[in-house]
Amino acid sequence: MRRPEFRKGLFVVLLCALATFACSRRARGPRPLEPLRGNAVWLSDVRAADEPGSEEALAAFRCAAVFLPAREIVAGVDGWKGIDLPAPARPLSRIPVVLVVEAAADPLEGARKERSKTFGAFLAQEVEAVVARGAAFGPIRGVHLDIPFSGATAQAHAAALKDARSLLSRRISRAGGGERLPRDVALTWSFRKPPPKEKKPRQAIQALASRVDGFVAFVFGDDNGADPVFTDSLGKLWWAGYEPSGAGVVRRKSGEPGPRVPESALDPLTNDPRMELMQELPWNEEKGWEFSLRAARNVTAGGLALSPGDAVTFSLPSLADMLARFDSDRKGRRFARGRLVVFDGRSDAGRVFPIAALPEALAGRRGAPDLQVWESAETGRLLRIGAENGGANASLVSRVENWVEVDVAPARISDVLPGAFDRWEVYDASGRPVSPGRASRVRLFETFVAPRERFSPARVSVRGTLPSPCCRTRTHVSPAAGGEPVATDWALPALGKPRTPEPGSR
């Protein structure tokens, strides 16, 4: 007789339990998004995000995130100050954004103990300030702290980060009802140096790891030397960071050092006939290569003013080594989430390794320039020869490795105006160097073939009759990404007319 009452009571209990569960779900809100994984890029100049087609190029290889500098920490006599960095002209819409809080030097280096204890509160304010600006950059999914530290300051940074996380978790926005650091916004940190050998600094880094959601371990380029094994042992998701950009420095004839020169100056300097390639060291896959360009006369190019005898010495990392490490740095690493490649400058046009070359590199292929030649015969005694790099990959810098050769036999070459090519040599039908008048082949050299570069045509005057069809060509180029030179056999190019130069073309 009591069984119906028992069933009724059980039904009421189940209803209450379901209602409690539903209320609990509504209180917690939607489930957080999965942590970011995959290959990402870091744009050191936020204006690069405004370059036409940039977001489309990133989406082409399913870019997991774009790191953008948003805030800078500057240390002063009275403490630290945070400065807003410019936002892009329009926010990204298709790719998640990680906003970077950066510092040029360790803010706790040499700081008194009492002062160091206040850094956590300051750091929490910086994170809040950068999150508040997130809409100007795009769909924010992370805040990255690119803040140097040493073995001596690691413990202080770990304590500061603990204080910052505690403050961020307690500061509830009354207007929005959510945390100042939303649950989908990860907090990550940079490793750039090898881990310390001493026990206490390593323990301090492990304490720091317990306060962040992940790391970027810079393993390649510049002075980077983070250890993938140690980073993975911390048990947090991490990206392997790569910085493929190089730079130069001016060496005055007087011996005084001059300003630092960005990589974007390389192409205009090698294009200037007043600059001479004076030093070409053997290419080393572990250290890249170095070379010097010396001004023979007064030169104004690439934003520089050089006097005769002044030189610019460039150091470029080995792209071949970077591509090899793309797999080895992450192989067998349990917590590695992907690769992060840093791109300097505001445009792909000034980079030796542009964003457009990244998809091929991520696929495990060493890209090479695609040197295409066109010809235009005029009046039977004049041949115009132009070329362009149809690909996104660059060549090595060399006086002898990159060239286009044209055979005009049975005609003979009387004169050559090289156009945008750097220099020329002439040969007979057997490939022996001869003087003009006896030559039937001309070889047009280019010191550096930049990505997508076009060369205004050389003008070759001949004696006799040009062959019909005219004229056989072959090319030779050494890729900046390493590997064997790319050489073609003799063949007839497609006939064409001089193309209208694009910005950055010659």
Side-chain angles (χ1 to χ4, degrees):
M1 295 294 295
R2 298 177 59 185
R3 185 171 295 176
E5 293 180 3
F6 174 77
R7 289 178 176 175
K8 182 178 180 180
L10 180 61
F11 181 71
V12 172
V13 171
L14 289 173
L15 283 178
C16 291
L18 290 172
T20 301
F21 177 76
C23 291
S24 171
R25 293 282 295 172
R26 285 195 297 269
R28 287 200 303 265
R31 295 180 62 183
L33 298 175
E34 290 293 323
L36 293 172
R37 296 176 182 269
N39 299 308
V41 302
W42 179 318
L43 302 179
S44 61
D45 189 330
V46 75
R47 293 173 295 181
D50 297 324
E51 187 177 21
S54 62
E55 194 163 5
E56 289 74 11
L58 297 172
F61 66 91
R62 298 181 180 180
C63 181
V66 180
F67 284 60
L68 295 175
R71 188 88 170 168
E72 182 180 12
I73 295 176
V74 179
V77 177
D78 300 327
W80 307 280
K81 180 174 67 172
I83 301 173
D84 280 339
L85 298 176
R90 62 184 184 279
L92 297 179
S93 60
R94 301 169 58 183
I95 302 174
V97 169
V98 177
L99 301 184
V100 179
V101 179
E102 61 185 31
D106 186 345
L108 298 184
E109 185 71 37
R112 298 189 305 273
K113 187 174 182 180
E114 295 76 13
R115 182 181 175 187
S116 296
K117 290 181 177 180
T118 66
F119 188 64
F122 171 79
L123 199 58
Q125 293 174 0
E126 292 302 291
V127 172
E128 289 177 346
V130 84
V131 169
R133 299 181 64 215
F137 292 82
I140 178 173
R141 286 292 307 280
V143 175
H144 182 74
L145 304 176
D146 190 29
I147 301 175
F149 67 93
S150 64
T153 63
Q155 185 64 53
H157 277 286
L161 192 53
K162 177 182 178 181
D163 293 342
R165 291 303 295 251
S166 179
L167 288 169
L168 289 168
S169 65
R170 294 200 306 264
R171 291 176 181 173
I172 305 300
S173 172
R174 297 184 182 277
E179 294 180 355
R180 293 293 179 89
L181 186 63
R183 67 175 64 188
D184 292 330
V185 176
L187 189 62
T188 53
W189 198 288
S190 287
F191 285 161
R192 293 184 178 272
K193 301 296 181 183
K197 297 181 180 179
E198 298 81 5
K199 184 177 180 180
K200 285 187 176 181
R202 292 176 75 97
Q203 291 176 337
I205 294 176
Q206 292 169 347
L208 187 150
S210 68
R211 307 299 175 186
V212 297
D213 302 305
F215 294 97
V216 174
F218 286 94
V219 297
F220 175 86
D222 201 13
D223 293 325
N224 297 323
D227 182 12
V229 176
F230 175 76
T231 306
D232 202 63
S233 71
L234 297 173
K236 292 296 180 76
L237 298 180
W238 61 281
W239 267 298
Y242 302 84
E243 294 187 294
S245 298
V249 62
V250 174
R251 307 290 186 188
R252 300 295 182 189
K253 183 180 179 180
S254 61
E256 298 178 359
R260 185 178 182 274
V261 180
E263 184 181 86
S264 59
L266 174 61
D267 191 33
L269 287 175
T270 55
N271 290 343
D272 196 302
R274 297 167 295 182
M275 299 295 297
E276 302 172 343
L277 183 61
M278 300 301 299
Q279 182 179 355
E280 188 175 348
L281 299 181
W283 187 48
N284 186 314
E285 287 201 355
E286 294 183 356
K287 297 182 179 179
W289 76 97
E290 293 185 354
F291 52 89
S292 296
L293 299 167
R294 191 177 69 181
R297 301 188 295 276
N298 290 323
V299 174
T300 302
L304 297 173
L306 303 173
S307 301
D310 291 345
V312 181
T313 300
F314 280 93
S315 297
L316 301 179
S318 166
L319 297 180
D321 186 40
M322 182 184 75
L323 300 186
R325 297 191 61 170
F326 269 3
D327 288 330
S328 63
D329 288 328
R330 298 169 57 249
K331 189 175 183 179
R333 315 291 184 226
R334 180 181 177 186
F335 297 100
R337 66 175 71 176
R339 313 172 187 93
L340 174 64
V341 182
V342 180
F343 292 95
D344 287 341
R346 62 181 300 180
S347 172
D348 249 9
R351 300 180 183 124
V352 174
F353 182 75
I355 294 175
L358 185 56
E360 191 173 17
L362 293 174
R365 298 189 295 270
R366 292 189 179 188
D370 179 17
L371 203 55
Q372 302 170 3
V373 183
W374 60 264
E375 298 174 345
S376 177
E378 301 178 7
T379 70
R381 297 293 180 90
L382 179 65
L383 180 66
R384 303 179 73 184
I385 305 165
E388 68 177 272
N389 180 5
N393 296 282
S395 75
L396 287 178
V397 175
S398 173
R399 281 182 55 82
V400 297
E401 289 293 319
N402 310 311
W403 45 262
V404 171
E405 188 169 354
V406 180
D407 187 351
V408 299
R412 294 292 180 264
I413 296 169
S414 59
D415 192 20
V416 178
L417 297 177
F421 294 93
D422 291 331
R423 63 188 187 90
W424 56 276
E425 293 177 358
V426 290
Y427 310 91
D428 63 14
S430 300
R432 295 172 296 189
V434 293
S435 60
R438 299 174 56 197
S440 59
R441 298 179 183 178
V442 59
R443 184 174 291 184
L444 303 163
F445 291 89
E446 179 62 20
T447 302
F448 175 63
V449 180
R452 308 293 186 191
E453 185 173 13
R454 293 179 178 177
F455 309 102
S456 58
R459 296 165 60 90
V460 180
S461 301
V462 302
R463 297 174 182 173
T465 304
L466 288 170
S468 181
C470 177
C471 294
R472 295 190 310 155
T473 66
R474 62 179 179 175
T475 62
H476 184 283
V477 63
S478 288
E484 294 297 321
V486 177
T488 64
D489 293 329
W490 288 107
L492 291 171
L495 295 178
K497 296 181 179 180
R499 306 188 183 208
T500 301
E502 294 180 348
S505 302
R506 299 193 288 128

